[in-house]
Amino acid sequence: MTQVVEPDIQRTSAPSETVPHWIGGRRVAGTSGRQGPVYNPATGELARHVDFASIDEVNEAVAAAKAAFPGWRATSLSKRTDIMFRIRNLVDAHRKDIAGFLTAEHGKVPSDALGEVARGIENLEFATGIPNLLKGGFSEQVSTGIDVYQIRQPLGVAAGITPFNFPAMVPMWMFANAIACGNTFILKPSEKDPSASIFIAELLREAGVPDGVFNVIQGDKVAVDRILEHPDIAAVSFVGSTPIARYIYETGTRHGKRVQALGGAKNHMVVLPDADIDMAADAAVSAAYGSSGERCMAISVVLAVGGVADPLVDAITSRLPKINVGPGTDEHAQMGPLVTREHRDKVASYLDRGRDQGASVIVDGREHDSYRSAGFFLGPSLIDRVTPDMDSYCNEIFGPVLEVVRVQTYDEAVRLVNDNQYGNGTAIFTRDGGAARQYQFDVNVGMVGINVPIPVPVAYYSFGGWKSSLFGDLHMYGPEGIQFYTRAKVVTARWPDPGTSQVDLGFPRTR
Ligand code: NAD
């Protein structure tokens, strides 16, 4: 039996010493005896611990969500809309508090942390349109006296498993639509930055979300595996690395669940010879080093076509010393630390491998002052003359390392993009509308930017990559999110006219 920590706790923007679960509308301390460390990446200090759930604790959260489902799905659309508006307004009012958690545990600088919250709010705003989004279709008189209509109904208990790099936005990608559609929800946040999830849970309760409709289970593989196997969970949304996404998809579907699992990325930015070099360099630097490169839509490879390579590399190089690297507590910082020391060191190891394999390391982030601090910093790094056989090109680095591959033609660039195992995002920089349109037609990638380096769709479109960047049939949030969290029911109805009633054993056909 789990122990309730504070039966009626006041919401606080200060992280707890030990980050608990949230079950049935309350903070619940873990009882498994297992915990994980949570660091302040800017100082390198161990900040707190997070409880890791046992199978029993996951079962308890699922039981709470299952018990809440009948009442929540029966709650009128107007009431659910009202609650979604309240959630939106509370998150809006607490943007800075949420951003504070992201800075404390992820290391995001203020502009990046606030940007994450803003993009999450877009998803809450989309979900306030739920009465319109759930409208079905109606066909009158499909046969004499018979009408057919389709309705969409919630699935039951849905779960979301989220990555470290968006501790607030990615949960909002999932739960906004899930609960607006009438499902109940269990969030399993990243164990690296878990505190924002509890603060958000408290906002949801304040907004009027009934107990059990939204739950948070902290933990690791034990919790995830129980979610994947639990017979009362109908659907699982996942965002994280590709190997785990593949595992989540295969295990979840084997247990009869609807699964959407978004994976990793290697996003190429093609720069054609006619592009504006300064604009392309500004975009490459913003998209490669923003959030320290820890974005699934970060640009990690520039494909410089023809003679554009030398001036473009010079323009990018000249911008790097001007990037203000520092902790999120410095309001002027533009780039913060990486999430853990292990991750930082793994990212840096690609600089050595690139050099060993024949690439030119133009800027090595380990020479940046911040690298010598106790925080998990790595300065912006640039590798030129990368070739597709090199380790740094073949793997997702997920850090502030931008690679330049020099190609001779547009066709060569497209071939590289399409041969890559990932297909999350890509961008083309050119002044030639015809070339851009051809690129949009040619590439096997889910999200394309034309002179836009980070083409994350707004909330009323859907987000998703192709190839090893997404396992499942439906993209996340937006209209496909509504489809994911509901299933269709088609009703064929006749209101009897006793005068025309007769026995007819033939197969029903239209008349
Ligand atoms: P991750 O795959 O390590 O972890 C994601 C989630 O899975 C976490 O909640 C974690 O606790 C859980 N997990 C980790 N190992 C597990 C295991 N063996 N079994 C079961 N569950 C496990 O990813 P991360 O390091 O937190 O996030 C970075 C990755 O996420 C990058 O690859 C990035 O590209 C990707 N990402 C993709 C998108 C997208 O939309 N496609 C968005 C954000 C991040």
Side-chain angles (χ1 to χ4, degrees), residues 161-166 170 173 188-192 219-221 224-225 238-242 244 247-248 262-265 296 396 398 424 463 469:
I161 300 158
T162 54
F164 80 81
N165 67 324
F166 285 107
V170 170
W173 282 5
K188 206 302 280 174
S190 170
E191 66 279 25
K192 296 191 177 86
D220 58 358
K221 184 170 167 53
V224 173
D225 283 345
F238 172 86
V239 175
S241 60
T242 286
I244 308 296
Y247 169 75
I248 299 282
L262 277 58
C296 67
E396 180 184 36
F398 217 59
N424 213 40
F463 182 108
S469 295

Side-chain angles (χ1 to χ4, degrees), residues 219-373:
D220 58 358
K221 184 170 167 53
V222 171
V224 173
D225 283 345
R226 183 58 189 147
I227 285 170
L228 295 175
E229 290 165 9
H230 200 297
D232 291 333
I233 292 181
V236 176
S237 299
F238 172 86
V239 175
S241 60
T242 286
I244 308 296
R246 187 179 280 117
Y247 169 75
I248 299 282
Y249 183 76
E250 289 173 356
T251 313
T253 51
R254 199 166 60 245
H255 287 86
K257 296 179 199 327
R258 185 178 287 196
V259 180
Q260 53 179 186
L262 277 58
K266 193 85 183 173
N267 304 315
H268 296 70
M269 171 171 159
V270 176
V271 183
L272 295 186
D274 71 332
D276 182 297
I277 298 287
D278 281 325
M279 185 179 162
D282 284 341
V285 168
S286 308
Y289 305 110
S291 209
S292 303
E294 291 173 326
R295 290 183 186 139
C296 67
M297 290 291 276
I299 290 294
S300 46
V301 181
V302 166
L303 294 178
V305 180
V308 86
D310 283 338
L312 183 61
V313 169
D314 286 349
I316 292 173
T317 308
S318 71
R319 283 159 170 76
L320 302 194
K322 297 175 200 149
I323 296 177
N324 191 347
V325 180
T329 46
D330 172 357
E331 60 177 313
H332 301 297
Q334 294 170 295
M335 194 184 115
L338 282 89
V339 70
T340 59
R341 185 179 304 284
E342 294 69 39
H343 183 58
R344 190 271 308 267
D345 293 345
K346 185 175 168 205
V347 168
S349 73
Y350 283 106
L351 296 165
D352 293 329
R353 281 197 261 175
R355 191 179 280 121
D356 292 347
Q357 293 176 347
S360 311
V361 177
I362 308 275
V363 182
D364 186 329
R366 290 169 296 188
E367 287 162 14
H368 195 278
D369 285 348
S370 62
Y371 184 73
R372 286 181 284 282
S373 77

Side-chain angles (χ1 to χ4, degrees), residues 473-487:
D473 304 311
L474 290 171
H475 290 192
M476 203 163 275
Y477 71 71
E480 293 192 39
I482 300 296
Q483 261 180 284
F484 182 79
Y485 288 118
T486 56
R487 58 188 157 185

Side-chain angles (χ1 to χ4, degrees), residues 357 386-394:
Q357 293 176 347
V386 172
T387 54
D389 52 323
M390 293 179 181
D391 287 350
S392 60
Y393 180 82
C394 296

Side-chain angles (χ1 to χ4, degrees), residues 67-75:
F69 176 63
W72 182 240
R73 74 165 287 215
T75 301

Side-chain angles (χ1 to χ4, degrees), residues 100-118:
F101 286 109
L102 310 185
T103 295
E105 294 184 352
H106 177 289
K108 290 194 183 201
V109 297
S111 58
D112 192 35
L114 286 165
E116 167 171 355
V117 180

